[in-house]
Amino acid sequence: MFSKVLIANRGEIAVRVIRACRDLGVGTVALYSELDHDALHVRLADEAYALGGQTAAESYLNTDAILDVIERSGADGVHPGYGFFSENADFARAITERGVTFIGPPPEAIEVMGDKISARTAAEEVGVDGVPGTTDLITDPAQVRAFGEEHGYPIAIKAAYGGGGRGMKVVADESAIEASIDSAQRESLAYFGREEIYMERYLVAPRHVEVQVLADAHGNAVYLGDRDCSAQRRHQKLIEEAPAPDLPDDLRRAMGEAAVQVALGCGYTNAGTVEFLVEDGAYYYLEMNTRLQVEHPVTELVTGVDLVEQQLRVASGEPLAFTQDDVTVTGHAIEVRLNAEDPAEGAFLPSPGRIDGLKVPDGYGIRFDGGYEAGDEVSQFYDNLIGKLVVWGHDRDVAIRRTLRALDETVVDGVATTIPVDRAILEHPDFAAATHSTKWVEETLDLTGVRCEVSASDDGEPTIRRDLGVEVDGRRFSVSMWVPDQAAAAKRRRSSRAGGAGGSGDGSVTVPMQGTIVKVLVAVGDAVEAGDAICVLEAMKMENNIVAEASGEVTEVRVAPGDSVGSGDIVAVIG
Ligand code: MV4
């Protein structure tokens, strides 16, 4: 087992890994950006080191700074969490070259699965089929036309180096082929810097079912049941559950065994997830995620297996202590992601800020995996996942009711949360009947009136305990003190925050949050109306239209696709 593990991440997943290490008597090393100098993961770790910087690129993605801390701390293992460097083969190699263990799969497996075409080929080689499609790159519209004649429409054109649905275009009929190829290539180039594309038949309303796998370095691999993640919008999962409801036993078993074959076929070790689409009683392999996933706790609650403990054991060379026959699934588990976002009737507006109050639910069958406590700040620079409510019940109906009960007990003051939309999903008869697909939240769920007002905590405490970080020579030590709670007082005075795109009334169009410009929709000289989209900003894995506040002529365009912008930056000026 490791003696000291460095967690190359932040927020709830860093907290989750630190807790697992503590359970095993393994020392923990946290990293922090300037904004996170006093974050929960930093307070919980045995040691913490400064990376500097504010944005992810300046901090949690700063390879040199992280490698330097690995060396200084003497860590013998690195857990990447999810996101950041978790699926970066170069990072895994750089760590391994320094004699430190990457707590994840071999870099070769990350590479095979990072390229969607080789990921498809790898599955085909072990007899696991994807959606009918090809592993050829599209170089000529005639290929798509021929595919349409054989398999029919719609067809999905996908980015070979894509992910998260970006670069994917649905071709409804023959007339749309050329335009779809163009826009898939353009989007793919903007997001991933590569324009290779391929195609598959497009499934219109599938369910997203994924299988958790775990493999050791001695050739043993098991699957730990499945999860349904169909309740999502714009590729952001809202609610996940295990097991996937209403799957025939033989299909479930076949999918589990297929997942294990895919893992063994690419030399996989550690925890991983094989994604499938399920439609009309058939399953189709989609891709493999070579990391621990956000929704892993639902699998833990129904199997009793601590996945992070297993990751640490497998990475330190231990063989799996159980076989497939030992794995059982008991009851039902549901995870609700609590994001600092106002559902705003479907607009999902980010709501960063200080969490003035946080009361998490408790009681039988309840687990809360949080990354923040009251007094902590949710920054616009990072993922705004506050925490995850994970609930177990002896069957799905019990789990749904208990999740609603737990949400009733949950209080978050100071930032808006996605709780109202979670409630709308959990109370809906379609969700109860498990007839929902990946399209359901966007196309069927009515979000009229579903919003979250920012509530202010009303306790009159004049002081608050702050566990402050004192940094000495780039290493963090903590000191507790009681200080006047000025931020809470200021927040109480402040009126409710404005959401969406902003402007200053002088014709400048600004962005409301940090992100990347993926498309510019106007040019100097264009006439625009109030409400017209000026550009598309990608932030927190979502595309946001930045709109003009007033009508007029575009006199300046200050951004181009690929530019990084910060909150308040001017993208264009309307004269
Ligand atoms: C598909 C599909 C339908 N047919 N491929 C979206 C993200 C990427 N991982 C693959 N995705 C999809 N691929 C074919 N051939 C539908 C989706 C899809 C989806 C998949 C899983 C979870 C949510 C989704 C939401 C929209 C589309």
Side-chain angles (χ1 to χ4, degrees):
M1 186 43 70
F2 299 101
S3 62
K4 203 190 252 191
V5 165
L6 180 142
I7 298 97
N9 214 303
R10 63 177 306 285
E12 73 86 17
I13 195 61
V15 170
R16 167 76 185 89
V17 176
I18 289 166
R19 286 176 170 153
C21 289
R22 183 79 35 92
D23 289 347
L24 291 166
V26 172
T28 52
V29 180
L31 302 175
Y32 59 98
S33 65
E34 280 172 20
L35 297 169
D36 275 343
H37 66 91
D38 194 32
L40 181 59
H41 73 283
V42 173
R43 302 199 292 271
L44 288 180
D46 297 329
E47 301 170 35
Y49 292 80
L51 293 171
Q54 297 200 332
T55 64
E58 293 165 349
S59 53
Y60 300 102
L61 289 171
N62 182 342
T63 311
D64 290 341
I66 296 173
L67 292 174
D68 182 52
V69 176
I70 292 171
E71 175 131 14
R72 285 163 65 205
S73 66
D76 53 353
V78 173
H79 195 301
Y82 51 69
F84 296 136
F85 280 132
S86 60
E87 297 182 275
N88 186 311
D90 293 338
F91 182 75
R93 280 201 184 93
I95 286 170
T96 311
E97 279 164 13
R98 284 164 173 75
V100 175
T101 304
F102 179 73
I103 303 169
E108 296 76 23
I110 297 177
E111 276 166 349
V112 167
M113 293 304 170
D115 165 354
K116 303 303 160 194
I117 295 183
S118 68
R120 217 186 130 105
T121 308
E124 277 175 7
E125 279 168 5
V126 293
V128 175
D129 294 327
V131 188
T134 68
T135 46
D136 302 326
L137 293 177
I138 300 174
T139 52
D140 185 341
Q143 291 167 273
V144 184
R145 223 167 287 128
F147 185 85
E149 267 155 38
E150 189 183 341
H151 297 279
Y153 290 84
I155 297 170
I157 296 186
K158 296 186 171 185
Y161 294 91
R166 283 169 287 194
M168 179 168 120
K169 292 289 150 196
V170 181
V171 188
D173 57 44
E174 199 183 326
S175 70
I177 292 175
E178 306 212 352
S180 299
I181 290 176
D182 284 353
S183 72
Q185 283 177 331
R186 211 174 332 109
E187 231 179 89
S188 176
L189 196 60
Y191 283 119
F192 311 108
R194 307 275 304 243
E195 61 174 9
E196 291 90 336
I197 52 170
Y198 68 107
M199 68 189 141
E200 290 174 354
R201 212 185 85 212
Y202 179 72
L203 303 183
V204 173
R207 274 165 61 184
H208 172 142
V209 180
E210 56 187 31
V211 175
Q212 178 69 55
V213 296
L214 180 65
D216 66 19
H218 308 273
N220 307 301
V222 296
Y223 63 93
L224 293 156
D226 42 62
R227 302 184 281 258
D228 188 309
C229 313
S230 301
Q232 59 87 43
R233 68 166 285 279
R234 301 231 222 147
H235 308 289
Q236 290 283 94
K237 293 165 185 165
L238 294 164
I239 295 181
E240 305 98 339
E241 57 183 310
D246 291 341
L247 287 189
D249 285 346
D250 53 345
L251 189 145
R252 204 187 286 286
R253 194 175 320 109
M255 215 165 30
E257 286 168 2
V260 167
Q261 288 313 309
V262 170
L264 289 172
C266 70
Y268 204 86
T269 61
N270 219 275
T273 298
V274 182
E275 285 189 12
F276 297 90
L277 294 178
V278 174
E279 192 175 73
D280 298 332
Y283 68 90
Y284 306 92
Y285 165 81
L286 203 53
E287 54 198 64
M288 181 169 189
N289 299 318
T290 55
R291 61 171 190 274
L292 182 71
Q293 290 198 266
V294 178
E295 58 270 26
H296 76 275
V298 291
T299 297
E300 299 184 318
L301 291 195
V302 296
T303 61
V305 174
D306 178 334
L307 284 166
V308 181
E309 175 193 344
Q310 293 302 320
Q311 287 192 292
L312 293 161
R313 291 194 183 286
V314 162
S316 64
E318 293 181 27
L320 285 181
F322 56 89
T323 66
Q324 191 66 56
D325 288 342
D326 299 320
V327 177
T328 53
V329 170
T330 307
H332 201 90
I334 292 177
E335 174 179 283
V336 166
R337 297 188 186 193
L338 266 59
N339 285 90
E341 271 170 52
D342 176 359
E345 307 199 349
F348 289 86
L349 304 172
S351 179
R354 185 174 182 272
I355 300 172
D356 294 331
L358 179 62
K359 181 172 172 283
V360 298
D362 206 341
Y364 191 86
I366 306 288
R367 162 174 167 185
F368 191 83
D369 274 24
Y372 299 83
E373 290 175 332
D376 293 338
E377 184 96 12
V378 180
S379 163
Q380 60 157 337
F381 287 101
Y382 315 118
D383 180 5
N384 60 23
L385 183 65
I386 297 170
K388 306 176 309 202
L389 167 62
V390 203
V391 175
W392 183 89
H394 76 261
D395 65 24
R396 189 168 184 268
D397 291 342
V398 170
I400 290 174
R401 278 204 307 279
R402 185 169 288 148
T403 306
L404 284 163
R405 184 269 287 174
L407 287 175
D408 286 343
E409 290 182 21
T410 307
V411 182
V412 184
D413 291 319
V415 296
T417 72
T418 38
I419 289 176
V421 73
D422 297 322
R423 205 188 290 279
I425 294 168
L426 292 163
E427 286 172 343
H428 201 288
D430 291 354
F431 187 81
T435 55
H436 62 296
S437 76
T438 51
K439 296 289 189 64
W440 180 80
V441 169
E442 282 161 50
E443 294 183 358
T444 307
L445 183 65
D446 181 4
L447 292 177
T448 307
V450 178
R451 49 174 67 257
C452 184
E453 301 297 334
V454 177
S455 59
S457 69
D458 53 11
D459 73 282
E461 282 295 311
T463 60
I464 187 168
R465 185 185 138 163
R466 297 299 287 168
D467 297 322
L468 294 182
V470 179
E471 194 177 298
V472 181
D473 193 21
R475 180 164 172 193
R476 192 232 186 237
F477 300 88
S478 70
V479 181
S480 299
M481 53 196 260
W482 292 86
V483 296
D485 192 2
Q486 288 162 338
K491 177 151 266 167
R492 237 168 282 165
R493 286 194 299 272
R494 213 184 303 155
S495 55
S496 71
R497 83 189 58 235
S504 51
D506 63 358
S508 60
V509 180
T510 61
V511 295
M513 62 194 136
Q514 187 253 347
T516 305
I517 301 295
V518 294
K519 229 179 268 175
V520 175
L521 303 162
V522 296
V524 170
D526 286 359
V528 294
E529 300 281 320
D532 282 357
I534 299 298
C535 60
V536 180
L537 173 76
E538 201 224 14
M540 301 183 321
K541 301 187 195 163
M542 288 181 292
E543 286 187 23
N544 304 272
N545 278 342
I546 304 303
V547 301
E549 270 202 339
S551 307
E553 188 185 306
V554 177
T555 57
E556 249 182 273
V557 174
R558 296 204 191 165
V559 291
D563 287 358
S564 293
V565 290
S567 176
D569 282 1
I570 297 172
V571 292
V573 179
I574 315 282

